[in-house]
Tab-separated table of all heavy atoms in Angstrom:
chain	number	residue	atom	x	y	z
X	289	ILE	N	-49.938	12.865	-20.191
X	289	ILE	CA	-50.947	13.908	-19.987
X	289	ILE	C	-50.376	15.002	-19.095
X	289	ILE	O	-49.766	14.727	-18.055
X	289	ILE	CB	-52.221	13.329	-19.341
X	289	ILE	CG1	-52.875	12.307	-20.279
X	289	ILE	CG2	-53.208	14.443	-18.998
X	289	ILE	CD1	-54.061	11.589	-19.666
X	290	SER	N	-50.573	16.242	-19.519
X	290	SER	CA	-50.237	17.411	-18.725
X	290	SER	C	-51.499	18.229	-18.545
X	290	SER	O	-52.001	18.822	-19.495
X	290	SER	CB	-49.150	18.245	-19.423
X	290	SER	OG	-48.971	19.481	-18.749
X	291	HIS	N	-52.036	18.253	-17.323
X	291	HIS	CA	-53.300	18.939	-17.096
X	291	HIS	C	-53.141	20.458	-17.151
X	291	HIS	O	-53.999	21.160	-17.695
X	291	HIS	CB	-53.892	18.510	-15.759
X	291	HIS	CG	-54.429	17.109	-15.767
X	291	HIS	ND1	-55.460	16.711	-16.584
X	291	HIS	CD2	-54.068	16.000	-15.065
X	291	HIS	CE1	-55.730	15.426	-16.380
X	291	HIS	NE2	-54.878	14.970	-15.470
X	292	LYS	N	-52.050	20.968	-16.599
X	292	LYS	CA	-51.852	22.426	-16.606
X	292	LYS	C	-51.656	22.936	-18.027
X	292	LYS	O	-52.173	23.986	-18.395
X	292	LYS	CB	-50.664	22.795	-15.724
X	292	LYS	CG	-50.893	22.567	-14.241
X	292	LYS	CD	-49.679	22.972	-13.425
X	292	LYS	CE	-49.910	22.718	-11.942
X	292	LYS	NZ	-48.713	23.064	-11.123
X	293	ALA	N	-50.885	22.196	-18.806
X	293	ALA	CA	-50.653	22.602	-20.187
X	293	ALA	C	-51.791	22.191	-21.109
X	293	ALA	O	-51.836	22.603	-22.277
X	293	ALA	CB	-49.339	21.999	-20.689
X	294	LYS	N	-52.706	21.373	-20.586
X	294	LYS	CA	-53.851	20.877	-21.341
X	294	LYS	C	-53.406	20.173	-22.629
X	294	LYS	O	-53.925	20.433	-23.730
X	294	LYS	CB	-54.812	22.022	-21.667
X	294	LYS	CG	-55.417	22.666	-20.428
X	294	LYS	CD	-56.404	23.768	-20.794
X	294	LYS	CE	-57.005	24.382	-19.535
X	294	LYS	NZ	-57.971	25.477	-19.866
X	295	THR	N	-52.450	19.274	-22.457
X	295	THR	CA	-51.944	18.519	-23.602
X	295	THR	C	-51.944	17.030	-23.284
X	295	THR	O	-51.851	16.618	-22.120
X	295	THR	CB	-50.505	18.938	-23.966
X	295	THR	OG1	-49.637	18.692	-22.839
X	295	THR	CG2	-50.451	20.403	-24.353
X	296	ALA	N	-52.059	16.223	-24.339
X	296	ALA	CA	-51.964	14.766	-24.221
X	296	ALA	C	-51.297	14.235	-25.477
X	296	ALA	O	-51.565	14.713	-26.586
X	296	ALA	CB	-53.350	14.152	-24.048
X	297	ASN	N	-50.421	13.269	-25.297
X	297	ASN	CA	-49.706	12.681	-26.427
X	297	ASN	C	-49.759	11.167	-26.326
X	297	ASN	O	-49.751	10.605	-25.226
X	297	ASN	CB	-48.248	13.142	-26.455
X	297	ASN	CG	-48.126	14.640	-26.685
X	297	ASN	OD1	-48.323	15.119	-27.793
X	297	ASN	ND2	-47.810	15.378	-25.635
X	298	GLN	N	-49.812	10.513	-27.466
X	298	GLN	CA	-49.883	9.055	-27.519
X	298	GLN	C	-48.850	8.522	-28.491
X	298	GLN	O	-48.602	9.104	-29.540
X	298	GLN	CB	-51.280	8.615	-27.950
X	298	GLN	CG	-51.470	7.117	-28.021
X	298	GLN	CD	-52.911	6.742	-28.315
X	298	GLN	OE1	-53.839	7.244	-27.695
X	298	GLN	NE2	-53.111	5.845	-29.270
X	299	ALA	N	-48.226	7.397	-28.117
X	299	ALA	CA	-47.227	6.757	-28.975
X	299	ALA	C	-47.387	5.254	-28.894
X	299	ALA	O	-47.933	4.715	-27.929
X	299	ALA	CB	-45.816	7.171	-28.567
X	300	ASP	N	-46.905	4.572	-29.918
X	300	ASP	CA	-46.931	3.115	-29.962
X	300	ASP	C	-45.912	2.569	-28.973
X	300	ASP	O	-44.746	2.962	-28.983
X	300	ASP	CB	-46.580	2.652	-31.382
X	300	ASP	CG	-46.761	1.147	-31.574
X	300	ASP	OD1	-46.746	0.405	-30.570
X	300	ASP	OD2	-46.904	0.722	-32.727
X	301	ILE	N	-46.325	1.646	-28.088
X	301	ILE	CA	-45.421	1.089	-27.089
X	301	ILE	C	-44.240	0.378	-27.734
X	301	ILE	O	-43.147	0.322	-27.166
X	301	ILE	CB	-46.174	0.118	-26.143
X	301	ILE	CG1	-45.300	-0.309	-24.950
X	301	ILE	CG2	-46.667	-1.090	-26.914
X	301	ILE	CD1	-44.983	0.792	-24.002
X	302	LYS	N	-44.408	-0.130	-28.948
X	302	LYS	CA	-43.324	-0.859	-29.613
X	302	LYS	C	-42.153	0.040	-29.962
X	302	LYS	O	-41.057	-0.448	-30.257
X	302	LYS	CB	-43.854	-1.548	-30.873
X	302	LYS	CG	-44.832	-2.672	-30.596
X	302	LYS	CD	-45.301	-3.331	-31.878
X	302	LYS	CE	-46.281	-4.465	-31.582
X	302	LYS	NZ	-46.758	-5.120	-32.833
X	303	LYS	N	-42.360	1.346	-29.929
X	303	LYS	CA	-41.294	2.272	-30.242
X	303	LYS	C	-40.510	2.697	-29.010
X	303	LYS	O	-39.553	3.465	-29.111
X	303	LYS	CB	-41.869	3.520	-30.935
X	303	LYS	CG	-42.529	3.210	-32.271
X	303	LYS	CD	-43.089	4.472	-32.910
X	303	LYS	CE	-43.742	4.144	-34.254
X	303	LYS	NZ	-44.307	5.370	-34.909
X	304	ARG	N	-40.897	2.176	-27.856
X	304	ARG	CA	-40.241	2.575	-26.609
X	304	ARG	C	-39.214	1.540	-26.196
X	304	ARG	O	-39.493	0.355	-26.095
X	304	ARG	CB	-41.283	2.735	-25.493
X	304	ARG	CG	-42.336	3.776	-25.786
X	304	ARG	CD	-41.788	5.170	-25.663
X	304	ARG	NE	-41.505	5.483	-24.281
X	304	ARG	CZ	-41.994	6.553	-23.657
X	304	ARG	NH1	-42.777	7.391	-24.276
X	304	ARG	NH2	-41.679	6.790	-22.392
Side-chain angles (χ1 to χ4, degrees):
I289 297 174
S290 171
H291 288 298
K292 292 181 181 178
K294 297 182 179 180
T295 60
N297 296 285
Q298 181 174 312
D300 188 338
I301 189 67
K302 293 181 180 180
K303 297 180 180 180
R304 300 286 290 234

